[in-house]
Amino acid sequence: MSLERSLQICMAAMAALATLLLGMGERNSVLPILAVGVAASSVYFVDVRRWIYLNTSMANLAGLAALVASLWDYRQVPREENQLLALANLLIYLQCVLLYRQKTPRIYWMLALLSLLQVAVATVLNLSIWFGVLLLVYLLLALATLTIFLIFREQQHYAGAPGETAVRVQGSHGRPLEVRAGASFRPRNLSPVSDHAVRLGVLRQMLRMTTVTLLLTAAVFVFVPRTGGGAWGEKLASAQHVVGFSESVELGELGEIVENPEEVLQMRFIDQDTELPYYLSEVPLLRGTVLTHYNKGKWSSHTLMVKESIPAPTATQHGLVRQEFRIARLSTSTLFAIHPLLKHDEDARLNFDGQSERLYRGQSRYSYPLDYSLLTSGLYGGRQLPIIPALHGPDPHLLKFHLLQPVDPQAFRGLRQMAAEVVNGRDSADIVGRAQALERHLQKLGGFRYSLTPPKRDVNVDPIEDFVVTHRVGHCEYFASALTLMLRSVDIPARMCVGFQGADWNPLTGYYHVRQWHAHAWVEVYVRPDQLPKGTIAGAKLQIPAGDWSEGGWLRLNPTPEFEGVQSPVAGNFPSVRQLLDYMEHLWSGYVLSLDSRRQHEGIFDPIKQGTAGIVAVLLDHQLWTKTLHNIWKLMKGEKPDDTGLWFNWRAAVITFVALTLLLFLYRLTTWLVRRLMRLARPPAKGALSAKDAEVEFYRRLEALLAQRKLIRLPQQTQREFALRVGDELATDARTIAVATIPRRIAEMFYRVRFGKVHLLPPQQESVDRGLAELAAALDEEPAKGR
Amino acid sequence: MNLLRQRKTSICLETWYYLVVMGFILAGAILREINLLIVLFGMMVGPLLYNWRAVIVTTRGLQVRRRTPEAICAGDLLVIDLEVANTRRFWASWLIVAEDMLRRAGDPRWMKPWQAGVLFSHIPPGATRKCAYQGRLPLRGRYQFGPVRLSTRFPLGLVRRTIILEHPSTLVVYPRVGRLTPGWTRRYGEASHGSRRVTHRQGLMEGDYHGLRDYRSGDSRRWIHWRTSARRGELMVKQFEQQRNQDLCLLVDLWQPPNPSPKDLKSVELAVSFAATIVSDRCRRAGSHLITGTATKTAVLSRGPASHALLQEVMEHLAVAEACPHSPLPELLDQALDEIRTATSLVLVTTRPVDLAAAPFLRLWNDPRKKALSHRILTIDCSSPQLNEFFQPE
């Protein structure tokens, strides 16, 4: 394959890849397909076959049209991120136009720049790890393309044809020499090198360059200081369509739930007493927000937000589990955790609404990644407690209008009837028993089926009534809504909770990974202190733990059938591909996306400062040095050193390394200085030839004459070389150009006499004398005129 | 040996666009704190720094050597070899562009020199690569080469490193050598008619050494080359050549008016070329004495046995000879008539009609010897069609 063809293919691939990256950012699958199609077709039709191409006028027109279209888009969508998309589209259009032009070095450069700009825009729009992987591929491709492009350009510039050697001759004022000389100049290939060797060498260079680039990229990424400003990420996150979790539930409108594998958060649990990892044996429910008010298929939270601090654990409280979360970018301020919550560290970023027991982010930049940790008393034996103490008992208003919101008898006739039938015959004081009966009915006994694609519902009937009576198929929101309304219809205060259930365990990261598709809705029932069950809770087989139950408790009910559990941490010895990908994602989000000012200082700058300070302290430690030298001395004498501790000390190793580096540097500096000084101190080389033969005395006269003008023969120069060199010097001046040939003539005479055993004839001797006289006269004239 | 005159690292034109994009990316990355933009910025910084470092290392330890012919005639094919040596032990050099400068001595300074660029794709460590450029120089004169500029942009073309190596050398471009017509031989013969031929015995024995041949009966034993005979196992004898040629005095009068027309310039070049052809012809056939003189700004006379050395000397004079309005022809003629023997032919090649009976020459003829020689002067005016009779330029 020719060099130009390789360049065309690489350039087209680079352009297509840049558009692919942009398409990923725009979540647009049409663009990459279009880009690949245009790139491939341009290579075939324009570059290979040369069937079609855009001339300058047509390309200008097409570019103008692309500009107008992009401006139209730009004006239509005022939001900043969408304006960015309009700019991105303009870049794609222009790239398509350029791909269909006949390629010149200028067009190649423009294509490379356009693709780079596309990648820059795509970088703003992308967060996925796959973007990172493709960015690496783009880097390799770009480096290869630029290298090929340079080779191509140089060969084209100097030869117009590929080959080992190339030549270009240019006359004065940019005219080719041929014009002035009336003859053609062409390259002469004198020392060909095999293409194979050249290719291997270029490949080695590429590898070296890629390695260096990656190292430098890492250094730049780590050390470029983060200011902590900017709000682009927030806009970007809000621009992203988040499927799965939502703070309000609107039944019927949601239609088909699209499962989204995007990761929401990573979490791990640690036993607060032992500091050992704490593993769960059943599905955890991470509560996000609480919904209390239902109206025509729509759930909302109507509580007044009261900000208060998270309760702190008491000194005697044991069995607490620390839950650590690493949350990715989200379009919600709600934070997730297992309740009840207890404070671990003071964290101003966390806010807590005591009334609804909702945890949320305090700062407005809630779209940024966040790490937080909390304690909980809601886990026992690897399981989540089915009932937890209420922080505050609901006030009468909340109880009456929200938790016990009246269920319209007309609209929910079937639902009320079903609830009444289920609890019929049960003790009205047994709140827990009645609630669990209703839960079991929806979960197992009532013939309800879980589905992500609910059937078409009757628009004239409330969707929950339709779900309970007619179409008993739905997802978790239907089940939870139905149970909440059924509980309320039998005078049990209930609320709907939205959050996540389930997680993927990854042994590589040591974290549970919660994804969007783990979003879930369930029900919590308020149990007054006097209604709390005694002993164990039926079904859960758990002893109600000791605690402050004075405000009552919240009983958790999960009516949705057939839910996948959490993966056991011990399942499987080898990590699956999915787990590896999760691990990469973990590194990507943990160390790349979420490296902010605080993390940079904590993780990078502070350790460097501390390490440097430590090394300096050790280097200046007089006692340590004395002891080390003393031990070395003892070792040299064959005695046992004093210190019989560890034979290797990393501090000592670092110090030794630094000291040796300094010594090496000093050695290099000293040798360099000595060399310089010797060069300066060296006496000038003797120009006189040590010829003893009187017949070559004329040459000695020549050298003596020239030495007066600081033209001295160097030791490595032969007499002929010196004469040529002097001739060149003399030829540069109009005053001495006439005598420029004399040194060479005399040198030739010298060779004939010295090595040819030829004696100078009188005319020749006369000619030499005359030449030397002319030379002396010209050299004398030179400074006189100069003065 | 190369003297390093200058080294320079510069940003290529396209790199400025690259830097502008980099600047925008860095600004966006810092202001908006988008980590992936910082990654992208790092990915752009890396190649730039690598390129900068690579070009510096690549051009370090490079030595260049130019091989020029000692002299050529105008219009001949000129081949210049450029040899670049990579003296480093570990790092190869890639895409080295060697640009050589070529300037004609005497050209005004404002005229840019010719540049010939040669591309060396790959020079392994410790290796030497040779490239050449070739062309034809139509004008005689002294040409100066150098300095040589070595540059590279490998591997990405973002940064260029140039080192300028002082490697001067000169090349004397002799006048074009044409062809002497049979008319020249006839006229030359007429001019020397009646003169006493003087022969010169050349060589140490019976003539100039010509070569070796097999022994034939009758050959002198003194001619046997014993060392070659011993090596070949048969008798070999040295062959000598005796040549008898006539002495010649060739005077070139390079006159031109103060504001020369193209025709005048052409006449001067024809005169020089004609003289060069005569000298070349005479020196090719050794065996005679040759006196040559040029009347340019000064009168210069060279003389000696016809030989390669003399040819070289005369050609160098002719290569750089410049015509002038005040050509000292009488002085030259005076010097030449003092030098020549009676049997020597005298040819005056001039660019103008010359009347030897005119006032400037009258004082010469006061000397009876010189007057006696004056009738033997063959004057050839190169501005007239008379030249075509003797000379055909190439």
Side-chain angles (χ1 to χ4, degrees):
Chain A
M1 189 187 295
S2 73
L3 192 67
E4 187 172 13
R5 185 73 68 242
S6 306
L7 175 63
Q8 287 158 353
I9 291 171
C10 282
M11 195 61 82
M14 200 167 89
L17 186 57
T19 312
L20 174 67
L21 290 170
L22 204 52
M24 280 173 65
E26 292 188 24
R27 292 171 190 268
N28 183 345
S29 56
V30 178
L31 282 178
I33 297 169
L34 180 76
V36 171
V38 169
S41 62
S42 72
V43 169
Y44 186 74
F45 293 123
V46 180
D47 300 331
V48 179
R49 293 287 174 189
R50 297 176 188 273
W51 284 344
I52 50 167
Y53 61 88
L54 295 175
N55 59 27
T56 309
S57 309
M58 288 176 71
N60 287 343
L61 273 178
L64 202 63
L67 186 66
V68 170
S70 301
L71 279 175
W72 179 259
D73 283 351
Y74 189 84
R75 291 179 64 83
Q76 292 298 307
V77 279
R79 290 180 60 187
E80 192 178 351
E81 61 275 9
N82 289 334
Q83 288 173 348
L84 192 66
L85 295 185
L87 173 68
N89 288 339
L90 173 63
L91 295 174
I92 296 171
Y93 302 150
L94 290 178
Q95 180 180 279
C96 291
V97 173
L98 286 180
L99 280 171
Y100 267 86
R101 291 211 58 187
Q102 274 193 325
K103 306 295 186 301
T104 61
R106 193 168 136 265
I107 298 286
Y108 282 127
W109 252 111
M110 288 169 76
L111 274 171
L113 268 182
L114 276 178
S115 85
L116 180 62
L117 286 172
Q118 286 183 66
V119 172
V121 176
T123 306
V124 178
L125 298 173
N126 273 292
L127 296 175
S128 154
I129 189 175
W130 294 112
F131 175 77
V133 173
L134 287 180
L135 197 60
L136 191 64
V137 176
Y138 179 83
L139 171 72
L140 291 170
L141 193 57
L143 291 179
T145 307
L146 282 181
T147 306
I148 295 172
F149 183 35
L150 177 71
I151 297 171
F152 170 72
R153 261 191 307 168
E154 296 287 42
Q155 288 197 342
Q156 199 187 41
H157 190 70
Y158 285 95
E164 168 61 19
T165 58
V167 65
R168 182 170 184 262
V169 182
Q170 196 179 43
S172 61
H173 311 294
R175 283 177 294 148
L177 185 57
E178 296 90 312
V179 173
R180 197 162 157 179
S184 63
F185 276 70
R186 60 179 191 276
R188 288 167 65 95
N189 192 349
L190 296 182
S191 53
V193 176
S194 77
D195 285 347
H196 184 63
V198 173
R199 280 176 192 158
L200 269 180
V202 171
L203 202 63
R204 273 200 298 273
Q205 283 276 341
M206 285 287 304
L207 286 173
R208 207 178 293 162
M209 184 160 50
T210 308
T211 311
V212 170
T213 300
L214 290 178
L215 289 174
L216 280 171
T217 303
V220 166
F221 178 74
V222 166
F223 290 109
V224 165
R226 307 313 197 261
T227 57
W232 176 258
E234 189 175 327
K235 288 184 178 178
L236 179 63
S238 62
Q240 287 179 335
H241 181 50
V242 180
V243 180
F245 176 80
S246 62
E247 292 192 45
S248 62
V249 174
E250 198 160 348
L251 298 168
E253 283 190 1
L254 192 59
E256 186 178 328
I257 288 183
V258 180
E259 288 211 335
N260 187 348
E262 200 170 312
E263 190 175 285
V264 179
L265 58 88
Q266 297 167 17
M267 61 181 178
R268 64 175 179 176
F269 301 97
I270 293 165
D271 191 316
Q272 183 66 4
D273 298 330
T274 62
E275 286 293 330
L276 293 171
Y278 185 91
Y279 298 114
L280 300 178
S281 57
E282 68 169 20
V283 181
L285 281 162
L286 303 175
R287 189 205 287 169
T289 190
V290 172
L291 305 172
T292 54
H293 189 81
Y294 179 79
N295 183 25
K296 294 179 182 172
K298 186 174 181 181
W299 282 97
S300 58
S301 178
H302 276 208
T303 56
L304 191 65
M305 200 172 280
V306 181
K307 185 180 170 185
E308 60 182 75
S309 61
I310 303 168
T314 61
T316 56
Q317 214 165 355
H318 293 290
L320 298 178
V321 175
R322 188 167 79 238
Q323 39 186 346
E324 293 180 352
F325 295 94
R326 179 175 286 178
I327 204 160
R329 296 180 188 221
L330 276 181
S331 59
T332 172
S333 64
T334 301
L335 297 176
F336 306 90
I338 294 174
H339 288 249
L341 299 177
L342 292 167
K343 189 189 294 180
H344 177 235
D345 286 321
E346 279 297 338
D347 194 341
R349 299 169 301 166
L350 303 181
N351 281 350
F352 185 61
D353 174 16
Q355 193 65 42
S356 64
E357 297 180 16
R358 175 173 169 256
L359 187 70
Y360 61 97
R361 225 183 268 210
Q363 53 188 328
S364 61
R365 295 173 58 210
Y366 51 79
S367 60
Y368 273 67
L370 176 73
D371 291 358
Y372 59 96
S373 59
L374 293 160
L375 298 175
T376 183
S377 57
L379 290 169
Y380 183 80
R383 299 173 66 186
Q384 204 168 353
L385 291 173
I387 186 167
I388 56 173
L391 194 60
H392 302 293
D395 60 43
H397 176 82
L398 178 67
L399 198 63
K400 183 177 179 184
F401 293 104
H402 292 289
L403 297 182
L404 283 172
Q405 182 190 11
V407 181
D408 185 358
Q410 293 301 319
F412 295 97
R413 187 184 300 156
L415 182 142
R416 291 176 69 90
Q417 189 181 346
M418 182 182 285
E421 283 173 5
V422 171
V423 299
N424 188 22
R426 288 187 176 269
D427 182 4
S428 62
D430 182 12
I431 294 289
V432 174
R434 293 171 76 198
Q436 286 180 333
L438 286 170
E439 180 197 23
R440 275 198 301 278
H441 182 78
L442 285 169
Q443 201 175 44
K444 294 173 184 169
L445 308 174
F448 292 91
R449 191 163 55 84
Y450 179 83
S451 171
L452 285 171
T453 52
K456 192 173 177 60
R457 302 197 185 277
D458 187 351
V459 290
N460 298 317
V461 181
D462 188 278
I464 299 301
E465 175 72 5
D466 183 73
F467 169 69
V468 171
V469 176
T470 314
H471 302 104
R472 296 187 173 185
V473 177
H475 49 74
C476 59
E477 289 172 346
Y478 284 93
F479 283 90
S481 300
L483 181 59
T484 310
L485 294 182
M486 287 167 85
L487 286 164
R488 288 176 180 182
S489 71
V490 293
D491 295 329
I492 298 174
R495 65 185 183 184
M496 191 163 91
C497 297
V498 183
F500 292 98
Q501 182 185 35
D504 301 331
W505 167 255
N506 191 328
L508 294 171
T509 61
Y511 276 82
Y512 292 97
H513 293 256
V514 179
R515 304 174 192 287
Q516 293 280 14
W517 65 29
H518 290 126
H520 190 52
W522 66 95
V523 181
E524 285 187 346
V525 169
Y526 177 67
V527 185
R528 291 200 309 270
D530 59 310
Q531 293 172 330
L532 285 167
K534 306 287 183 285
T536 57
I537 300 169
K541 294 180 181 175
L542 272 176
Q543 192 80 23
I544 290 180
D548 181 9
W549 295 91
S550 60
E551 295 288 337
W554 289 102
L555 174 69
R556 195 182 70 246
L557 300 172
N558 191 359
T560 309
E562 295 178 11
F563 220 88
E564 285 181 10
V566 58
Q567 288 175 0
S568 168
V570 293
N573 293 324
F574 298 101
S576 62
V577 176
R578 175 70 173 279
Q579 286 172 335
L580 279 172
L581 292 177
D582 277 346
Y583 182 60
M584 285 167 60
E585 190 86 41
H586 170 79
L587 295 176
W588 178 253
S589 62
Y591 296 99
V592 178
L593 294 182
S594 57
L595 184 75
D596 54 12
S597 176
R598 185 176 61 85
R599 281 189 159 196
Q600 195 179 31
H601 276 92
E602 287 176 3
I604 300 160
F605 293 156
D606 292 347
I608 289 175
K609 274 186 202 167
Q610 288 163 8
T612 311
I615 289 172
V616 169
V618 170
L619 281 173
L620 299 177
D621 189 345
H622 174 68
Q623 285 187 341
L624 179 71
W625 282 108
T626 313
K627 190 176 171 183
T628 308
L629 290 173
H630 180 69
N631 281 343
I632 291 171
W633 178 246
K634 281 198 161 188
L635 276 173
M636 286 171 70
K637 289 200 297 182
E639 296 175 11
K640 194 177 178 184
D642 292 343
D643 191 2
T644 53
L646 286 172
W647 66 274
F648 180 78
N649 183 317
W650 70 269
R651 278 174 185 273
V654 169
I655 291 164
T656 311
F657 176 74
V658 172
L660 285 176
T661 310
L662 278 174
L663 274 175
L664 184 68
F665 175 73
L666 278 174
Y667 168 75
R668 284 284 178 96
L669 187 69
T670 313
T671 49
W672 181 78
L673 275 174
V674 167
R675 222 178 297 139
R676 278 282 164 133
L677 288 172
M678 282 176 68
R679 200 178 298 167
L680 285 175
R682 186 182 300 157
K686 287 180 183 174
L689 191 73
S690 60
K692 296 179 179 65
D693 193 341
E695 283 198 75
V696 292
E697 187 270 341
F698 63 91
Y699 183 79
R700 283 194 293 166
R701 277 165 52 205
L702 172 71
E703 287 206 344
L705 183 65
L706 294 173
Q708 290 171 9
R709 294 285 167 267
K710 309 288 183 198
L711 295 169
I712 296 162
R713 188 168 66 86
L714 299 175
Q716 65 268 30
Q717 274 180 325
T718 62
Q719 283 78 4
R720 183 179 282 121
E721 284 172 344
F722 174 59
L724 288 171
R725 177 80 196 282
V726 169
D728 294 339
E729 287 275 330
L730 297 176
T732 56
D733 194 321
R735 289 168 298 211
T736 52
I737 192 166
V739 294
T741 55
I742 291 175
R744 200 180 78 186
R745 272 170 40 209
I746 294 178
E748 294 300 333
M749 291 284 187
F750 166 79
Y751 277 93
R752 275 184 228 165
V753 175
R754 182 79 177 80
F755 305 111
K757 310 287 186 194
V758 174
H759 301 288
L760 282 186
L761 298 171
Q764 289 170 328
Q765 184 69 51
E766 187 189 336
S767 170
V768 167
D769 290 342
R770 198 169 57 241
L772 283 171
E774 285 173 12
L775 184 62
L779 291 176
D780 279 344
E781 186 186 15
E782 186 188 7
K785 285 191 178 177
R787 277 195 293 273
Chain B
M1 196 180 84
N2 298 152
L3 295 175
L4 183 67
R5 184 204 275 184
Q6 193 184 353
R7 53 184 155 211
K8 188 175 70 175
T9 307
S10 56
I11 299 285
C12 302
L13 179 65
E14 300 88 352
T15 314
W16 289 109
Y17 302 116
Y18 186 84
L19 287 174
V20 168
V21 174
M22 256 177 78
F24 275 116
I25 288 174
L26 181 64
I30 290 178
L31 293 177
R32 298 289 193 166
E33 200 168 300
I34 302 172
N35 281 349
L36 286 184
L37 272 187
I38 297 178
V39 171
L40 185 63
F41 175 74
M43 283 182 169
M44 292 182 76
V45 168
L48 190 64
L49 289 180
Y50 183 86
N51 201 169
W52 169 74
R53 190 65 200 154
V55 294
I56 287 176
V57 174
T58 301
T59 50
R60 199 176 281 163
L62 287 184
Q63 294 283 323
V64 69
R65 185 168 178 172
R66 184 193 303 108
R67 290 178 189 277
T68 55
E70 280 195 14
I72 59 157
C73 289
D76 285 358
L77 183 66
L78 167 67
V79 179
I80 306 293
D81 290 345
L82 280 180
E83 205 173 84
V84 177
N86 177 3
T87 59
R88 294 185 307 274
R89 280 192 296 174
F90 299 112
W91 194 286
S93 291
W94 299 86
L95 291 187
I96 299 288
V97 173
E99 283 179 313
D100 201 3
M101 311 280 177
L102 178 59
R103 179 191 287 278
R104 185 164 174 258
D107 275 356
R109 279 281 161 195
W110 53 264
M111 280 187 77
K112 286 184 184 171
W114 286 310
Q115 287 184 6
V118 180
L119 179 69
F120 292 84
S121 296
H122 177 227
I123 309 173
T128 301
R129 291 285 179 267
K130 200 192 290 181
C131 290
Y133 60 91
Q134 61 183 29
R136 291 173 199 275
L137 295 170
L139 300 177
R140 67 189 167 85
R142 184 183 299 277
Y143 289 81
Q144 292 164 12
F145 289 90
V148 179
R149 192 158 55 193
L150 298 179
S151 65
T152 183
R153 295 189 287 171
F154 190 78
L156 297 173
L158 299 175
V159 182
R160 182 195 295 276
R161 174 76 166 177
T162 307
I163 57 169
I164 298 176
L165 296 170
E166 195 69 76
H167 187 64
S169 60
T170 52
L171 170 73
V172 179
V173 177
Y174 295 159
R176 270 178 209 266
V177 175
R179 199 157 50 85
L180 295 171
T181 60
W184 161 259
T185 315
R186 194 170 54 248
R187 288 296 299 267
Y188 178 67
E190 283 173 8
S192 60
H193 180 69
S195 63
R196 186 170 61 87
R197 291 182 180 246
V198 177
T199 57
H200 303 273
R201 287 178 70 93
Q202 299 290 316
L204 295 174
M205 290 184 289
E206 286 79 2
D208 283 335
Y209 172 74
H210 178 69
L212 290 171
R213 64 168 172 78
D214 294 340
Y215 176 84
R216 297 175 199 150
S217 60
D219 283 343
S220 169
R221 276 182 299 171
R222 292 173 60 204
W223 298 350
I224 296 171
H225 194 272
W226 292 107
R227 188 180 296 169
T228 308
S229 301
R231 194 163 57 238
R232 295 188 56 170
E234 57 181 342
L235 285 175
M236 300 293 291
V237 293
K238 289 178 274 188
Q239 195 177 9
F240 298 92
E241 203 173 65
Q242 282 193 338
Q243 292 180 346
R244 292 162 185 270
N245 286 314
Q246 192 180 31
D247 294 346
L248 177 70
C249 176
L250 176 69
L251 302 181
V252 186
D253 171 35
L254 293 181
W255 173 90
Q256 70 178 20
N259 296 310
S261 64
K263 186 172 178 292
D264 296 325
L265 295 174
K266 188 182 172 189
S267 296
V268 169
E269 292 307 314
L270 277 174
V272 171
S273 181
F274 180 38
T277 309
I278 293 169
V279 174
S280 177
D281 177 64
R282 296 296 299 190
C283 290
R284 207 167 45 239
R285 293 182 284 118
S288 62
H289 267 284
L290 190 63
I291 298 172
T292 59
T294 48
T296 52
K297 285 177 185 169
T298 55
V300 180
L301 209 60
S302 305
R303 56 198 168 281
S307 64
H308 180 72
L310 184 69
L311 174 66
Q312 206 174 340
E313 188 181 337
V314 174
M315 287 297 243
E316 279 178 9
H317 273 301
L318 289 173
V320 297
E322 288 180 24
C324 67
H326 307 291
S327 164
L329 179 60
E331 288 83 357
L332 180 70
L333 196 59
D334 188 20
Q335 288 177 29
L337 290 172
D338 282 342
E339 294 283 336
I340 60 174
R341 300 185 184 99
T342 49
T344 302
S345 303
L346 201 153
V347 177
L348 172 62
V349 176
T350 179
T351 57
R352 57 181 165 172
V354 173
D355 180 9
L356 293 176
F361 301 99
L362 286 179
R363 67 178 178 84
L364 299 178
W365 315 135
N366 294 335
D367 184 343
R369 181 177 167 271
K370 290 178 183 172
K371 190 168 183 183
L373 290 170
S374 66
H375 72 278
R376 292 176 50 216
I377 298 173
L378 172 63
T379 304
I380 301 171
D381 179 7
C382 293
S383 62
S384 71
Q386 180 198 6
L387 181 69
N388 297 334
E389 196 181 334
F390 309 115
F391 177 62
Q392 194 172 349
E394 287 293 324

